Amino acid sequence: MSAYVVGHINPDSDSIVSAISLSYLKNQIGETCIPARQGELSPETQFILSKFGLEKPLLKTEFANENVYIVDYSDLAQAPKDIKEATILGIVDHHKLGDMTTSAPLECWIRPVGCSNTVIKEMYDFYKVAIPKDIAGAMMCAILSDTVIFKSPTCTKNDTKAVKELASIAGVADFKAVGMEMFLVKSALEGATARELTTRDFKDFMMNGKKVGVGQLEVVDLSVFDNKKEMLFADLQALKIEGERHTVMLLLTDIMVEGSQLLVVSDDPSIVEKAFGVELENAQAWLPKVLSRKKQVIPFLEKAF
Ligand code: MG
Ligand code: MG
Ligand code: MG
């Protein structure tokens, strides 16, 4: 029986490319795997797949009675609704351990590095499987995206090493230039609705029994949001009500200045103020040096909640 490889909801480039790269590796070592995705591709991911000529994974949101490999998360809040009726064969990830559990033994490759594709690159090395040029290029871009071109505090030596090796396989001479080209695509917001922006990279977490949603938009210049704050706040409020969330936040991250403007809609904003040691002004605060949701935001929120 074949298995699906699937990343988190509101898939980012790492989740999509991991589905492709892990499926290819598994197929080479004798397991039949099909890359899948739980949602639409972001403009950044479309850029990566078209640049390297790769097909997008199959859109699939129901996995009852299927075999599944989970990539780039292990939180139930980011999983398909029926994941408890699926057989999880393995998890490949680089986040905090979530609340998924299994009834049978599973394969786990979870490491504190900057990107799931760095872990998958190390799996290729472990199994001595050659990475095709197109997949190597996409894996390189996924790592540059997750590590914000090595600027994120989540970035490790393993990530920079993997990018250099993948760039050489893909025949990319200047990987930082490709990374910047990718972030410029990511920064273009024209034509996107408020909902597309708030949920483009949005994750829910359960914190002390309360549902907390945190979105992030990474751009090269925060001025793109100058006339959009009001519409973003209105949609964060709507997301809060629709999802019965206690708190909804959006990080507007400036990757050049290196910091994030935090927008907050909450039943108790003082928890957020306590988490980051800031005072909210018009439900906003500037968090200098904050680039990483997983390392610089979620742990502090969890502690405050
Ligand atoms: Mg991800
Ligand atoms: Mg990732
Ligand atoms: Mg990210």
Side-chain angles (χ1 to χ4, degrees):
M1 183 175 158
S2 58
Y4 292 92
V5 181
V6 69
H8 53 75
I9 58 168
N10 303 320
D12 58 0
S13 297
D14 190 23
S15 272
I16 297 293
V17 176
S18 291
I20 295 170
S21 57
L22 184 62
S23 293
Y24 180 87
L25 171 64
K26 287 288 178 185
N27 289 335
Q28 295 312 109
I29 59 176
E31 288 180 58
T32 311
C33 281
I34 301 160
R37 61 186 163 99
Q38 295 194 65
E40 293 313 317
L41 303 187
S42 71
E44 181 197 68
T45 310
Q46 289 173 28
F47 164 84
I48 296 171
L49 296 193
S50 72
K51 185 167 185 72
F52 296 101
L54 290 164
E55 293 285 317
K56 59 184 174 188
L58 175 77
L59 179 63
K60 186 170 169 66
T61 52
E62 289 174 11
F63 292 87
N65 306 313
E66 304 280 14
N67 287 335
V68 184
Y69 281 99
I70 298 297
V71 283
D72 201 34
Y73 70 104
S74 65
D75 281 287
L76 283 172
Q78 296 159 33
K81 291 271 171 289
D82 59 358
I83 193 68
K84 286 180 178 162
E85 296 162 65
T87 302
I88 299 174
L89 299 180
I91 300 175
V92 178
D93 190 25
H94 68 123
H95 293 82
K96 75 177 176 69
L97 190 59
D99 50 1
M100 268 189 193
T101 186
T102 64
S103 47
L106 80 165
E107 177 183 355
C108 266
W109 297 71
I110 302 177
R111 315 257 325 269
V113 294
C115 183
S116 296
N117 273 284
T118 300
V119 182
I120 296 171
K121 164 72 170 69
E122 292 172 353
M123 293 174 73
Y124 273 87
D125 295 344
F126 177 83
Y127 288 109
K128 298 188 170 65
V129 170
I131 308 176
K133 231 176 146 171
D134 51 357
I135 293 180
M139 292 170 76
M140 174 197 81
C141 281
I143 301 170
L144 290 170
S145 171
D146 263 14
T147 63
V148 193
I149 321 181
F150 305 158
K151 291 182 186 189
S152 171
T154 59
C155 187
T156 66
K157 279 183 185 154
N158 305 50
D159 302 294
T160 53
K161 179 170 175 277
V163 163
K164 284 169 192 160
E165 291 176 13
L166 291 164
S168 121
I169 296 166
V172 171
D174 188 349
F175 60 79
K176 288 205 172 166
V178 175
M180 264 320 280
E181 197 188 343
M182 184 175 75
F183 273 96
L184 284 170
V185 170
K186 198 172 196 171
S187 302
L189 310 179
E190 292 94 53
T193 64
R195 183 53 57 93
E196 279 161 6
L197 293 177
T198 54
T199 59
R200 187 172 279 175
D201 182 2
F202 186 86
K203 289 179 180 174
D204 278 318
F205 301 86
M206 290 307 291
M207 297 193 185
N208 196 21
K210 308 216 162 54
K211 193 170 168 190
V212 178
V214 185
Q216 184 173 26
L217 289 165
E218 295 160 320
V219 297
V220 293
D221 184 354
L222 284 192
S223 68
V224 293
F225 298 113
D226 280 353
N227 303 314
K228 294 196 159 65
K229 292 266 177 71
E230 216 166 299
M231 93 179 196
L232 291 173
F233 266 116
D235 196 59
L236 295 177
Q237 186 63 46
L239 279 172
K240 181 178 176 300
I241 294 165
E242 285 163 35
E244 295 177 348
R245 295 174 173 94
H246 177 278
T247 298
V248 180
M249 303 187 351
L250 185 61
L251 293 157
L252 306 178
T253 299
D254 188 318
I255 71 157
M256 304 310 289
V257 175
E258 300 189 22
S260 295
Q261 185 74 14
L262 179 66
L263 315 190
V264 182
V265 175
S266 176
D267 288 339
D268 184 358
S270 75
I271 299 177
V272 179
E273 293 186 322
K274 194 171 70 184
F276 301 107
V278 294
E279 258 179 61
L280 294 171
E281 217 176 293
N282 299 321
Q284 301 180 49
W286 171 251
L287 305 178
K289 297 279 161 220
V290 169
L291 293 176
S292 167
R293 174 174 48 198
K294 73 168 72 60
K295 210 162 177 171
Q296 295 169 297
V297 174
I298 300 306
F300 299 97
L301 277 177
E302 288 203 311
K303 199 180 267 178
F305 270 89

